[in-house]
Structure formats: C-alpha cells, structure tokens
Amino acid sequence: TGFLWLAAAPTCLLLIPVISTCCQSLSFNVGTAGAKVFSGPATEEFGYTVHQFKNHLGKWLLVGSPWSGYKQDRKGDLYKCEITGSTSNCQRLNLQYYYPGICAEVSPLFKPLPAFSPALQTCGGPMDVAIVLDGSNSIYPWPPVVDFLKKLLENLDIGPDNTQVTIIQYGVDPFIEFHLNAHKTKQSMITAAAKIPQRQGLETNTFRAIEFARKQAFLPENGARPGASKVMVVVTDGESHDKNLRDDVIRKCETDRITRFGIAVLGYYIRNDIDTKNLVDEIKSIASTPTDRYFFNVSAEEALLEIAGSLGDRIFNIEGTGKGDGDFQMEMSQVGFSAHQTKKQNMIMLGAVGAYSWSGTVVHYTSQKSDIFPQTAFQTILQDKNHSSLLGYSVTTLNDGTMEYYVAGAPRSNHTGQVIVYTINAKGQPIVLDSQRGDQIGSYYGSVLCPLDVDKDGVSDLLLVGAPMFMSEHKKENGKVYLLTFTKGILSDQGVLKGPSPAENARFGMSISAVLDLNMDGYSDVVVGAPLEDDNRGVIYVFNGDKKTLRTEYSQVEWGGLRPI
C-alpha cells in the first residue's frame, strides 16, 4: 500500500488509498475500499476547493465552502479536516469576513492574518442621473414607457451613497416628477416611477428640457452631491420644436461634464410612414461620443423594455470607472480568481480576469509590492477587440532548471482560448515568449493549466492544458486535454489525452492534477476529472508518466462507487 490522493466534489471529499503489486508485476489499482470520506453541507458547496496543509499538529485539508453563511450574506468560509486522525472530522474555521477585492491569509494555526489588497482601486464614486422623458401627445401607449422606467431603475444601484435618480417629464414645458434625494431605496423609487402619468403636450421642446435639467437637476438643494458623476438620459419620439437651441445647450452640457444617453423612439414616425433620418440624427447629436455607446433607437414604445438592461449596464460602466468615456481598468478585476505560488521568486501570481473590461491581466504579488501589468502588456498577443479574453483565468509556472517562466490562460481569447508564456525584463515588464491557441470556439482552452515534471529532476517536461467545453462530433461537451512540451519558454503540441467517449457530456479536463508516482515506476502521474460523465456523477482518469512524457492512454478510470467527484 502506498500514497494517498484526493477526489473532490461539492458536498464530498474522498481520500483514496493506492494499492500496488510491484515485485514481478507493474499492475496496480486505485480503489475506494477503506476510503476516508469528509462530508459537508450541500447548500454551502462544501468541497468546491481543496488544499492540503501541514503544521506541527498534523496533516490537514483546507476545504472551501463558498456558499457558507446566512442566505442574505453568504460570504463563504473554510473548513479544516484532519487527515491523520481516526475520525473523519471537519471543523469550520469561522473566517467569514467581508473583504471586497482583498485577499485574506491564515497562519499555520488557521488564525486570520492581516488582509492585503494586490490591486486596490476604488470605483468612480456616486452618480446622479437625470432622466429627461418626452411625455408629449405623440408618445403612445404610455404604459410601456413606465415599464421601461421601472426596469431601468431595477438595473441601477440605487441608494444615497451610490446612484440617485431624478425624472423630468416634458412636452411644451419640463416638469420634475421627483428630485434626486426624494427616495432613499430602490423600491420606493420604482413605486413612485410606476405612478407617473403622461402629462402630454402639443410640442416637443427637447432642448429646453435638457437645459432645465442641466440647471435644476444637479443642484445641491435638489439632492446633487459634490463630486458625483452627472448622467442624463433623454428619451423622445420626435424632432424638437426648439432645435435652434441645440448647439448652445449641448455645449453647456459638455462644459458641465454631463454624460448623455440619447434614445430615439421611432414608433410615431413608423406608424405615420415618416422618414426617421432627421430624428435619428438629432438624437445622435444629443448623445455623448462615441455615439455607438451612448445612442439607442427602438421601433416602438413597447421596445423600450428591450434596451433597459443594456442601458443600465452602460450606466453602471460609468459608475464603476468614474469616466464617461472610459472602460473598466482594475475596478472589476477579480484579482485572485486564480493563484499560484512560484518556487524561485517567492512571489504569488494572481489572475485578474475582470481587468480592463474583462480582457484580463496577471498581478505579481510579494510582501513588498504588487506589480499590476497594464493592458498594453498583453494587448498585442491577445488581439482582444471585444474585451473578453479573461486572461488570468488560470496561472502557473514552468521551470527549465535555471529559469522560471510564467504561464497564464485566457480561455475566451479570440473565442478559441489561448495560453501565454512570458518572462519579466529588467524594467519589471512582461515579455511574451510564446503562445498557443485552442482549435475550437467556445472550448475554454486554457481555463485549466497543469505543469508536470515527469522524471522528478526539477525541470518541467510538460504543460497540460484543459479545454473542458470542447464539443465532440456528437454535439456533446466532451472536453479535451492537450499535451504541450516545453523548451526555453517555447511550447510545442504533442497531441491529446484519450478520455471519455465522444458521445458523453463529460467536461473532461475541468480539473487536472499532477500526483506522486501511483504505480511506483519512478515517474509522476496525472489524474484528470470529467465531472459530467456517468450521468453527472463524475469520473476520474489516471494517466501514467513515462520517461519525460505522459502516456496518452489512461491506465484506470474511477467510476461510481462512492461517487467521489
């Protein structure tokens, strides 16, 4: 009998003994007989993450429980489970502290240490929003407009310290429905918006209403806050009767740094077969630039509801960055989405998938400083035009015996996924050496990385790359694991591991782990998880090392039994 290795799933952990018959035979088996099972609350997703830990008191498992806590504030927690004891005992550590964007450490005795923020950047602060709403006679029907208001407000972070909203309705003359400081809660504001009547009017004096909003909506006595971002949303269905005021009014809005959204409702024009070009041009002239970000048009009043969510998201973008014309930088970075402790540099790599509007980046953290790499560092290799690469989804290092190379996965890069290898130059900036792209859109290539030193000589022989969403010819999320060799920072494709049947939904490669020598032949081995296989109960595949590579045929499949995965 020999080594112990671990299978995990939410609600269950399983320590599995390895039984080997070596002498005259190389056969071996990984069995579940006598396994040690650690169970936890299913509602807490007990077992979502697992980490082996050792101190002077013994050997432990640290088990993540990300849904731990009360329903209204599930902050997550950790459990410590003793491996060497006679009982399968797990104790909650009660570390339910709320650290927004901050990493927490524990001591060898599981005591919380001072938290650190590897990429602290505050959001843009409060926002004051003025909705300037056309209520003239041509707006019909009115209820869809009210529904639009309600849904838009639902998508905003309403509150005295966050977003405040005032609604100004106009036709001939503007009328304040409620001021910025009239409502302290989102529900109160939505209730008030639901009761707003259409005030009508025979004219559409849009620019008089915009000027009124500029001068009145953002006054301190009406609830405006010093330093708050100013946003105006103009909704109208017709060309204005006061177009002569446009240039002066918009210039003053620019001077006051008011970000403006323009929404053209084309229903009246379409119903009466009127050319919409002039209306669209006018509302575009109201909107801030770039126009494609701040201008909307809908075919009818009923269609307003369809853009409420998108409009709310774009307003939120302003709230997060504090800039009317900027993208997110590190405000939504999710630093720590992935983490890896380097061996040579005594440094932690932290993936920041949300950085730069979800292009992603990597943070190198030491006790002295945090190096947050700018968007330009990986921009050329990612070719990320749509802010979706998620660089930092996975991070690791490769070692050639003298030098350590940094590796980061970007599973949505160019839609097919990408793995990037880089080093750091004398100026502390990353230098990209090589990259590999996936070969199927949506496969999430690079979401899982696993370096492997097969012959245990301290040099990385392989990099295993998971693409768990890879779709088979049977239109199943079968998954795929790629073998890449590594030489001086350059990756070379060496094929794939042979896993589940193509007819299976398996997500093979959702987890990949290097393990000690299971079959006692002197080489490191690998286990690969397929959590959806076997009717969502999950399967573990064992692959054995061979000199400096890995056998692509699995040596054992661990099915069912206690259903450990």
Side-chain angles (χ1 to χ4, degrees):
T1 59
F3 310 93
L4 293 174
W5 57 282
L6 183 74
T11 79
C12 181
L13 299 172
L14 179 63
L15 280 178
I16 302 176
V18 177
I19 302 168
S20 176
T21 55
C22 29
C23 299
Q24 301 298 321
S25 171
L26 293 179
S27 63
F28 78 103
N29 185 50
V30 177
T32 57
K36 192 168 189 177
V37 179
F38 299 92
S39 297
T43 56
E44 294 185 7
E45 293 288 325
F46 174 88
Y48 193 87
T49 53
V50 183
H51 183 70
Q52 297 185 33
F53 191 85
K54 183 170 68 173
N55 62 17
H56 69 282
L57 298 176
K59 297 179 180 179
W60 308 81
L61 297 177
L62 287 181
V63 183
S65 183
W67 283 96
S68 176
Y70 298 104
K71 290 183 179 180
Q72 64 270 27
D73 62 351
R74 288 180 168 177
K75 300 173 184 177
D77 207 343
L78 290 176
Y79 286 79
K80 62 174 183 179
C81 303
E82 188 175 5
I83 297 175
T84 54
S86 59
T87 60
S88 300
N89 180 37
C90 290
Q91 298 178 351
R92 187 196 300 272
L93 293 181
N94 291 315
L95 299 176
Q96 292 189 348
Y97 298 95
Y98 180 56
Y99 291 133
I102 293 175
C103 295
E105 293 181 294
V106 295
S107 74
L109 294 178
F110 311 109
K111 300 297 183 184
L113 299 175
F116 64 91
S117 175
L120 181 61
Q121 182 167 340
T122 58
C123 294
M127 181 184 307
D128 292 337
V129 180
I131 300 175
V132 181
L133 185 65
D134 184 356
S136 61
N137 292 357
S138 56
I139 292 282
Y140 180 84
W142 183 249
V145 178
V146 173
D147 291 339
F148 161 75
L149 289 176
K150 290 161 57 180
K151 186 171 182 180
L152 175 58
L153 295 175
E154 287 173 356
N155 280 274
L156 299 179
D157 187 16
I158 304 295
D161 298 323
N162 300 310
T163 301
Q164 296 185 150
V165 178
T166 178
I167 297 180
I168 298 171
Q169 187 180 166
Y170 75 96
V172 177
D173 298 309
F175 178 87
I176 298 177
E177 300 291 348
F178 53 75
H179 291 294
L180 288 168
N181 58 356
H183 300 281
K184 304 301 182 185
T185 67
K186 180 183 294 190
Q187 189 54 53
S188 172
M189 187 178 294
I190 292 173
T191 300
K195 298 177 181 178
I196 293 176
Q198 183 177 9
R199 300 192 179 275
Q200 302 188 334
L202 297 175
E203 291 185 357
T204 305
N205 292 324
T206 302
F207 293 99
R208 188 185 302 176
I210 293 174
E211 176 66 1
F212 177 85
R214 183 188 72 83
K215 294 171 66 176
Q216 297 296 320
F218 303 111
L219 291 174
E221 55 264 38
N222 291 332
R225 296 159 295 178
S229 301
K230 299 176 184 178
V231 176
M232 189 181 296
V233 179
V234 181
V235 184
T236 181
D237 79 330
E239 296 170 61
S240 65
H241 290 84
D242 56 358
K243 190 179 297 185
N244 60 303
L245 302 176
R246 179 182 62 184
D247 293 347
D248 184 56
V249 169
I250 298 303
R251 177 181 57 79
K252 291 177 179 177
C253 287
E254 287 287 326
T255 301
D256 288 358
R257 299 177 64 85
I258 300 174
T259 302
R260 304 170 309 282
F261 290 89
I263 302 174
V265 183
L266 308 180
Y268 178 82
Y269 280 54
I270 292 173
R271 289 191 296 268
N272 293 277
D273 198 26
I274 302 173
D275 189 352
T276 62
K277 182 180 183 305
N278 289 339
L279 172 60
V280 169
D281 288 345
E282 180 175 306
I283 307 308
K284 283 184 176 180
S285 73
I286 292 171
S288 296
T289 56
T291 306
D292 60 355
R293 182 176 295 178
Y294 298 103
F295 169 76
F296 294 85
N297 68 85
V298 295
S299 59
E301 286 77 359
E302 293 84 352
L304 279 168
L305 201 63
E306 298 174 6
I307 67 165
S310 297
L311 176 60
D313 288 344
R314 295 189 192 182
I315 293 174
F316 174 75
N317 190 42
I318 299 170
E319 180 182 12
T321 63
K323 301 181 282 291
D325 57 353
D327 292 320
F328 283 108
Q329 299 298 306
M330 295 298 290
E331 294 89 352
M332 304 292 288
S333 57
Q334 299 183 33
V335 175
F337 187 92
S338 60
H340 175 73
Q341 174 76 55
T342 67
K343 294 181 179 179
K344 289 182 175 294
Q345 303 299 324
N346 192 27
M347 176 264 293
I348 301 175
M349 296 177 69
L350 297 166
V353 296
Y356 314 125
S357 294
W358 291 273
S359 288
T361 192
V362 182
V363 175
H364 285 195
Y365 172 81
T366 67
S367 57
Q368 289 78 35
K369 64 174 182 175
S370 293
D371 290 324
I372 305 171
F373 299 130
Q375 185 174 11
T376 54
F378 300 103
Q379 199 169 41
T380 300
I381 194 69
L382 287 176
Q383 300 178 350
D384 189 353
K385 298 179 181 178
N386 299 313
H387 303 311
S388 61
S389 288
L390 303 186
L391 179 67
Y393 200 98
S394 54
V395 291
T396 192
T397 52
L398 294 167
N399 178 24
D400 67 0
T402 59
M403 188 172 178
E404 203 165 35
Y405 299 82
Y406 307 106
V407 188
R412 290 186 59 184
S413 174
N414 199 35
H415 304 296
T416 59
Q418 188 174 12
V419 173
I420 294 172
V421 181
Y422 65 95
T423 56
I424 304 298
N425 65 14
K427 296 181 179 180
Q429 293 302 307
I431 303 298
V432 175
L433 301 180
D434 194 18
S435 75
Q436 291 283 328
R437 288 193 180 274
D439 48 22
Q440 186 184 89
I441 290 175
S443 66
Y444 257 58
Y445 176 90
S447 60
V448 182
L449 301 175
C450 178
L452 184 64
D453 175 8
V454 181
D455 56 3
K456 308 176 190 177
D457 63 353
V459 175
S460 304
D461 299 306
L462 297 172
L463 177 68
L464 283 74
V465 179
M469 314 296 196
F470 190 93
M471 194 78 69
S472 72
E473 61 269 24
H474 294 272
K475 305 301 180 185
K476 299 290 186 178
E477 280 192 354
N478 191 239
K480 185 178 284 191
V481 175
Y482 296 77
L483 285 182
L484 303 177
T485 56
F486 164 76
T487 307
K488 299 294 182 182
I490 305 302
L491 300 174
S492 299
D493 189 2
Q494 297 295 312
V496 298
L497 299 182
K498 297 176 183 177
S501 161
E504 285 272 7
N505 267 326
R507 290 198 180 175
F508 178 70
M510 194 79 177
S511 59
I512 309 171
S513 181
V515 294
L516 296 179
D517 185 7
L518 295 180
N519 60 343
M520 300 183 184
D521 63 354
Y523 301 116
S524 298
D525 300 319
V526 167
V527 291
V528 179
L532 296 191
E533 194 173 356
D534 192 20
D535 197 22
N536 293 328
R537 287 184 287 260
V539 172
I540 292 175
Y541 289 81
V542 178
F543 295 87
N544 298 126
D546 185 9
K547 297 179 181 177
K548 285 188 173 294
T549 188
L550 195 68
R551 297 172 187 169
T552 58
E553 297 276 357
Y554 56 84
S555 60
Q556 186 177 346
V557 180
E558 184 59 49
W559 304 82
L562 294 176
R563 305 298 186 189
I565 297 183

